[in-house]
């Protein structure tokens, strides 16, 4: 499903170069919920961005959903993300010009779904998330927890193979964080999607079966992975 | 998919209402100003043409090898075809006006006074006495101010018309006109058509000046006249008769086009700046879209569609406002007499009636639309080329 081979990534120029990832090699199985954990600056977000095709590695190879994403151009990468990947960000990142319903519909429309499909799927997700009554609200009218629910619904609306969640609970209070995590687990079970979740929440890390520990851009250890 | 992006663009515009309206207002004002300026330019050209052709040529002149027959036939015409305002048959003969020992050579032109009064400039430019009235027993003559000065005559005085064969005819001066054009004020005199017909010789020429409603295209005017022509009669359009006027109107159009271009360049710079600011402000939105798989070209399409919608809306609004201002100006006319009183192309009146043409109305809209799209290309490209991860790392 996800295969990284000697992947490195650095930022800045020659003088100010910072190595965000150093020769990371990983094989992550499909259909699992895997936690990426480690302290701030350990390379979790960079790893998610590389797997999601949001940026390119400095060296090494990345294969996701059967596509060598380090070898394809910008347009193909966009198509890859559109079809195969759903993102959940720490700061929700909903589109402020669209209502909750339209935010959920957006990936479906981008993937060419019919009006009926868009309608059915968005209503199904809104109902599952308990957001039906808030469907026509704009993001600024929603609480943080509600926004993250909509963001999760949007990330799986088009039934991607891979869901990348970057610190999805970091901006939420403990009650909302717990609710969002439960939702992610439910989605993972119901949608049969591979979930890659970056977090440094110790409770969450403790409860997870499959984990990748990162530190200073390197994989320190893995648990539950072959 | 274009319908989806159009809807997104429309939503983007409507959600940023204040900014959109300010942009639409600014572009719209420019379009309205350009529309009104264009209408004034068309009005000035109309006024120059109407003034200039009203002195003699009409919109077109029917020339004839058989002047007596042609002028007689056109003089008998009791009704004019649709679109035609008047047809003025004229016979012209070179004569000498003589008073005692003083003489002045003129082209004596026989006219139908009641027709001339409809459209000709000369009846309106009588400064002493009166214009020609209905034909009477004796020959009446209207002379130019410079001829009157040369001969030292005034209305009511008698003079003699000396023909090329040396014979003379008595005539009475009924009025004096001044057009401000020397070749008319000292070279032309007017009498009844019958008077000139009576003295016609081989050197007498004849033509019919035909006038149409303002704004009638030359081709259309010619098409109206063609069925009325007989053998030996041919059409000479005013552009061929007054080439300097034709050039002057073309110069006006070129000047106006340059003004439109300059204003549009300034508007384009404003649009580019607005789109750039908008793109900078919305970096996160574009980053999210790119993360969701929107391609760079789709993002460019979205930004260009928003710009196109704003420019089209502003163009439409500006045109409507410009048209309303033009209509208000056209009702009363704009009196530029202070600046045209000595201008031979404004013999009759210095009042300009702004007029809209399709070309000059469409030009600012199209120019703003095209310039807006070109101006938005760079900011749109900037947004589409920015790396998604870099955008997402920027502060909210």
């Amino acid at each position: 499903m996800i295969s990284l081979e000697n992947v490195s990534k650095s930022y800045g120029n020659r003088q100010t170069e910072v190595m965000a990832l150093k020769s990371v090699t990983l094989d992550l199985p499909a259909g699992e919920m895997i936690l990426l954990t480690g302290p701030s600056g350990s390379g979790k977000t960079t790893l998610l961005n590389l797997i999601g095709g949001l940026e390119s590695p400095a060296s090494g190879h990345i294969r996701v959903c059967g596509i060598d994403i380090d070898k394809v151009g910008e347009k193909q990468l966009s198509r890859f993300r559109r079809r195969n990947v759903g993102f959940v960000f720490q700061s929700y990142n909903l589109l402020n010009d669209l209502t909750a319903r339209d935010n959920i519909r957006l990936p479906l429309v981008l993937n060419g779904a019919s009006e009926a499909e868009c309608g059915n799927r968005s209503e199904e997700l809104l109902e599952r998330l308990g957001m039906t009554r808030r469907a026509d609200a704009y993001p600024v009218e929603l609480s943080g927890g509600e926004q993250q629910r909509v963001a999760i619904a949007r990330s799986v609306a088009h039934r991607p193979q891979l869901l990348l969640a970057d610190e999805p609970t970091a901006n939420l209070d403990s009650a909302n964080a717990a609710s969002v995590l439960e939702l992610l687990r439910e989605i993972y079970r119901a949608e049969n999607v591979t979930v890659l979740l970056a977090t440094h929440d110790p409770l969450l890390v403790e409860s997870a079966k499959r984990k990748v520990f990162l530190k200073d851009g390197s994989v320190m250890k893995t648990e539950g992975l072959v | 998919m274009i319908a989806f992006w159009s809807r997104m663009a429309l939503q983007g515009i409507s959600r940023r209402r204040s900014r959109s309206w300010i942009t639409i207002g600014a572009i719209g004002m420019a379009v309205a100003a350009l529309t009104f300026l264009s209408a004034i330019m068309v009005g000035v050209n109309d006024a120059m043409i109407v003034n200039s052709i009203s002195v003699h040529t009409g919109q077109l002149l029917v020339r004839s090898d058989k002047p007596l027959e042609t002028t007689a036939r056109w003089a008998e015409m009791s009704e004019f075809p649709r679109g035609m305002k008047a047809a003025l048959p004229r016979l012209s003969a070179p004569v000498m006006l003589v008073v005692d020992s003083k003489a002045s050579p003129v082209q004596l032109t026989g006219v139908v006074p009641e027709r001339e009064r409809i459209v000709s400039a000369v009846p309106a430019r009588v400064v002493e006495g009166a214009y020609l009235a209905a034909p009477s027993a004796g020959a009446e003559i209207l002379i130019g101010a410079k001829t009157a000065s040369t001969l030292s005559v005034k209305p009511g005085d008698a003079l003699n018309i000396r023909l090329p064969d040396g014979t003379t005819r008595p005539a009475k001066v009924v009025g004096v006109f001044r057009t401000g054009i020397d070749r008319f004020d000292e070279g032309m005199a007017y009498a009844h058509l019958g008077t000139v017909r009576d003295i016609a010789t081989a050197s007498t020429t004849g033509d019919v000046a035909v006038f149409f409603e303002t704004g009638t295209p030359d081709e259309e005017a010619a098409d109206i006249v063609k069925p009325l022509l007989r053998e030996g009669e041919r059409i000479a359009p005013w552009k061929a008769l007054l080439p300097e006027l034709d050039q002057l109107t073309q110069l006006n159009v070129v000047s106006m086009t340059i003004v439109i271009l300059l204003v549009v360049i300034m508007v384009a710079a404003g649009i580019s700046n607005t789109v750039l600011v908008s793109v900078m402000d919305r970096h996160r939105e574009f980053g999210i879209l790119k993360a969701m798989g929107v391609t760079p070209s789709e993002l460019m399409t979205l930004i260009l569609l928003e710009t196109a919608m704003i420019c089209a809306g502003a163009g439409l609004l500006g045109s409507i406002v410009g048209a309303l201002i033009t209509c208000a100006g056209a009702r009363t006319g704009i009196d530029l007499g202070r600046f045209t009183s000595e201008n031979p192309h404004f013999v009759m009146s210095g009042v300009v009636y702004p007029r809209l043409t399709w070309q000059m109305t469409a030009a600012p809209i199209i120019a703003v639309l095209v310039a807006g799209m070109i101006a938005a290309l760079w900011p749109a490209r900037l947004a589409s080329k920015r790396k998604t991860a870099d955008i997402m790392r920027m502060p909210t």
Side-chain angles (χ1 to χ4, degrees):
Chain A
M1 173 70 177
I2 301 168
S3 165
L4 292 94
E5 195 184 324
N6 289 322
V7 171
S8 296
K9 176 72 184 174
S10 61
Y11 296 109
N13 55 35
R14 211 171 273 178
Q15 283 83 34
T16 60
E17 191 177 48
V18 176
M19 287 300 287
L21 282 182
K22 299 169 194 163
S23 293
V24 171
T25 297
L26 271 176
D27 273 307
L28 305 173
E32 299 291 345
M33 189 169 187
I34 305 155
L35 247 70
L36 292 178
T37 188
S40 286
S42 59
K44 301 187 295 291
T45 299
T46 302
L47 188 57
L48 283 185
N49 285 347
L50 288 170
I51 291 169
L54 294 182
E55 49 193 323
S56 309
S59 61
H61 300 295
I62 306 173
R63 192 171 171 83
V64 182
C65 304
I67 297 164
D68 295 318
I69 60 170
D70 56 296
K71 288 178 184 158
V72 297
E74 179 70 26
K75 196 171 177 179
Q76 287 93 327
L77 264 183
S78 297
R79 304 265 181 222
F80 157 76
R81 287 196 296 269
R82 179 183 294 197
R83 290 194 192 108
N84 302 302
V85 187
F87 287 97
V88 180
F89 301 96
Q90 179 180 335
S91 49
Y92 328 129
N93 282 339
L94 295 176
L95 290 171
N96 289 329
D97 291 345
L98 304 182
T99 60
R101 178 185 280 114
D102 284 343
N103 262 288
I104 298 169
R105 286 167 63 105
L106 187 59
L108 293 161
V109 178
L110 287 175
N111 279 287
S114 70
E115 190 61 29
E117 279 176 275
C118 292
N120 292 341
R121 179 69 171 155
S122 57
E123 294 311 315
E124 175 202 329
L125 287 167
L126 281 165
E127 200 177 324
R128 190 187 295 172
L129 268 62
M131 290 290 294
T132 306
R133 291 175 68 182
R134 307 287 283 144
D136 294 319
Y138 285 95
V140 289
E141 298 161 349
L142 299 173
S143 69
E146 286 174 326
Q147 285 191 56
Q148 198 59 301
R149 282 164 178 269
V150 175
I152 291 168
R154 183 183 66 181
S155 69
V156 294
H158 55 302
R159 296 191 169 86
Q161 296 184 53
L162 182 61
L163 175 59
L164 303 175
D166 188 6
E167 307 272 11
T169 58
N171 283 358
L172 300 174
D173 57 47
S174 53
N176 268 314
S179 162
V180 161
L181 281 174
E182 190 48 46
L183 192 65
L184 274 172
R185 285 197 187 99
E186 190 189 322
I187 291 278
Y188 155 67
R189 284 191 292 265
E191 302 283 336
N192 191 29
V193 59
T194 305
V195 179
L196 213 51
L197 198 155
T199 183
H200 53 237
D201 181 340
L203 285 175
L204 191 59
V205 175
E206 212 168 283
S207 66
K209 287 180 190 164
R210 291 170 182 80
K211 306 163 208 177
V212 176
F213 292 89
L214 290 166
K215 191 180 178 191
D216 297 331
S218 301
V219 176
M220 300 306 292
K221 63 171 179 172
T222 61
E223 280 180 23
L225 300 171
V226 180
Chain B
M1 206 62 163
I2 195 75
F4 165 72
W5 290 117
S6 300
R7 203 165 69 92
M8 283 284 285
L10 207 58
Q11 259 165 328
I13 292 168
S14 61
R15 290 282 291 169
R16 274 166 284 276
R17 219 164 282 162
S18 308
R19 179 182 290 177
S20 301
W21 274 115
I22 289 169
T23 312
I24 287 171
I27 301 170
M29 272 203 294
V31 172
L34 287 176
T35 305
F36 184 55
L37 273 178
S38 304
I40 288 182
M41 185 276 292
V42 173
V44 166
N45 278 356
D46 283 350
M48 284 202 300
I49 294 166
V50 167
N51 275 287
S52 301
I53 66 174
S54 68
V55 178
H56 186 76
T57 63
Q59 190 162 344
L60 58 83
L61 205 59
V62 175
R63 287 190 156 150
S64 173
D65 298 335
K66 299 168 187 169
L68 293 178
E69 283 177 30
T70 298
T71 51
R73 185 165 56 80
W74 282 80
E76 282 164 15
M77 192 183 285
S78 54
E79 275 184 21
F80 302 121
R82 192 182 168 84
M84 190 189 287
K85 230 169 159 181
L88 313 181
R90 291 160 181 164
L91 275 174
S92 294
V95 299
M96 188 75 82
L97 300 182
V98 182
V99 179
D100 302 328
S101 60
K102 294 170 184 169
S104 180
V106 294
Q107 193 75 17
L108 182 63
T109 301
V111 298
V112 180
E114 57 273 24
R115 294 239 187 124
E116 296 283 332
R117 278 200 189 88
I118 303 171
V119 283
S120 173
V122 179
R125 305 299 290 184
V126 172
V127 290
E128 280 182 73
Y131 189 66
L132 299 165
S136 59
E140 291 180 337
I141 191 165
L142 179 80
I143 59 175
K146 290 203 172 178
T147 308
S149 170
T150 305
L151 298 174
S152 303
V153 292
K154 57 183 185 306
D157 290 348
L159 53 66
N160 283 311
I161 302 169
R162 185 184 293 158
L163 305 179
D165 61 3
T167 58
T168 59
R169 300 282 172 91
K172 189 178 89 176
V173 177
V174 294
V176 175
F177 68 88
R178 182 185 290 122
T179 61
I181 306 168
D182 285 350
R183 90 189 147 84
F184 277 85
D185 292 349
E186 66 183 354
M188 296 290 282
Y190 295 93
H192 288 284
L193 191 64
T195 306
V196 180
R197 186 179 295 139
D198 290 346
I199 61 170
T201 63
S203 58
T204 302
T205 58
D207 48 43
V208 182
V210 190
F211 290 79
F212 296 85
E213 300 296 340
T214 306
T216 305
D218 292 342
E219 299 74 24
E220 197 180 309
D223 287 342
I224 294 171
V225 169
K226 272 175 194 163
L228 306 171
L229 298 180
R230 297 286 183 273
E231 199 187 332
E233 294 174 355
R234 60 205 169 275
I235 291 170
W238 70 268
K239 283 179 184 172
L241 301 165
L242 304 168
E244 79 288 355
L245 177 64
D246 186 28
Q247 272 192 341
L248 204 55
T249 57
Q250 285 177 23
L251 188 66
N252 263 349
V253 173
V254 170
S255 307
M256 191 64 223
T257 308
I258 291 170
V259 170
I260 290 178
L261 280 177
L262 289 175
V263 173
V264 163
I265 287 169
M266 286 188 277
V267 169
I271 293 172
S272 188
N273 182 51
T274 307
V275 177
L276 187 61
V277 169
S278 172
V279 162
M280 296 293 189
D281 277 0
R282 294 161 68 190
H283 65 270
R284 183 156 285 269
E285 175 189 336
F286 296 147
I288 298 165
L289 284 171
K290 287 187 84 174
M292 291 173 71
V294 169
T295 62
S297 59
E298 284 171 336
L299 197 57
M300 272 189 86
T301 305
L302 174 67
I303 296 167
L304 291 178
L305 270 172
E306 278 189 21
T307 310
M309 283 176 181
I310 285 178
C311 287
L316 205 65
L317 189 74
S319 300
I320 292 168
V321 172
L324 289 174
I325 298 170
T326 302
C327 286
R331 280 182 74 175
T332 53
I334 299 166
D335 191 354
L336 301 177
R338 233 180 111 191
F339 311 103
T340 60
S341 55
E342 299 301 319
N343 191 319
H345 294 298
F346 289 87
V347 173
M348 278 181 82
S349 161
V351 177
V352 168
Y353 293 89
R355 180 167 69 89
L356 289 172
T357 62
W358 283 114
Q359 296 94 316
M360 296 312 278
T361 309
I365 305 175
I366 294 168
V368 159
L369 199 59
V370 172
M373 299 302 280
I374 293 170
L377 267 177
W378 173 62
R381 197 175 151 74
L382 210 65
S384 70
K385 290 290 167 196
R386 193 173 269 182
K387 286 202 161 61
T388 317
D390 293 344
I391 301 172
M392 303 307 278
R393 266 194 291 272
M394 289 166 86
T396 336

